[in-house]
Amino acid sequence: MGAGSAAILAALPDETVADVLARNAALRAEKFPRCSDAAILALVRDTRDRGYCLQPGMVFEDSWAIGVVVYDANEAPVASISIAALRSRLGPARSAMLGNRLMQASKELTAQWKV
């Protein structure tokens, strides 16, 4: 579960999130055991609360990422922007700064589509 994918998932209704998780549960259990339903649902909640996703090495332990959703002119989620780095490079202050910058970039892209 990448940060961009988690950001898109967090922008979707809870029913859609549950459907997505159900559809790939077996694959995740086999290939990505840290990406359990509970872990992804917690990530979705945190993303919704924070406004951006901070993915704490769910796929590769020391590879963290930050992601935001990008919306189209109708406010539907259509893409994401993300940054990945080693955990040591994404301390709390840097993560917040990068997350806020990505949210600004997302708003700028969405505004361009509304023109």
Side-chain angles (χ1 to χ4, degrees), residues 3-5 9 11 22-23 34 38 41 43 46 51 57 70 72 75 81 83-84 94 97 99-100 109 113:
S5 299
L9 204 57
R23 287 174 183 259
R34 289 188 292 235
L41 290 171
L43 189 62
D46 290 347
V70 177
D72 67 10
E75 299 295 323
I81 308 168
I83 299 171
R94 185 169 170 88
M97 183 270 299
N100 288 322
L109 285 170
W113 285 338

Side-chain angles (χ1 to χ4, degrees), residues 2-105:
S5 299
I8 291 173
L9 204 57
L12 299 172
D14 289 339
E15 301 78 31
T16 305
V17 173
D19 183 52
V20 169
L21 293 179
R23 287 174 183 259
N24 62 46
L27 177 67
R28 283 185 293 111
E30 178 186 342
K31 303 271 186 192
F32 307 102
R34 289 188 292 235
C35 295
S36 65
D37 284 0
I40 291 172
L41 290 171
L43 189 62
V44 165
R45 280 190 304 275
D46 290 347
T47 300
R48 288 173 177 168
D49 290 344
R50 190 182 292 118
Y52 62 88
C53 177
L54 176 60
Q55 193 270 68
M58 291 173 68
V59 178
F60 300 106
E61 190 173 338
D62 281 335
S63 178
W64 285 35
I66 301 168
V68 297
V69 66
V70 177
Y71 297 93
D72 67 10
N74 298 313
E75 299 295 323
V78 294
S80 65
I81 308 168
S82 63
I83 299 171
L86 295 175
R87 176 177 54 182
S88 62
R89 303 276 317 214
L90 289 177
R94 185 169 170 88
S95 295
M97 183 270 299
L98 291 171
N100 288 322
R101 180 60 190 112
L102 286 176
M103 286 191 301
Q104 182 59 40

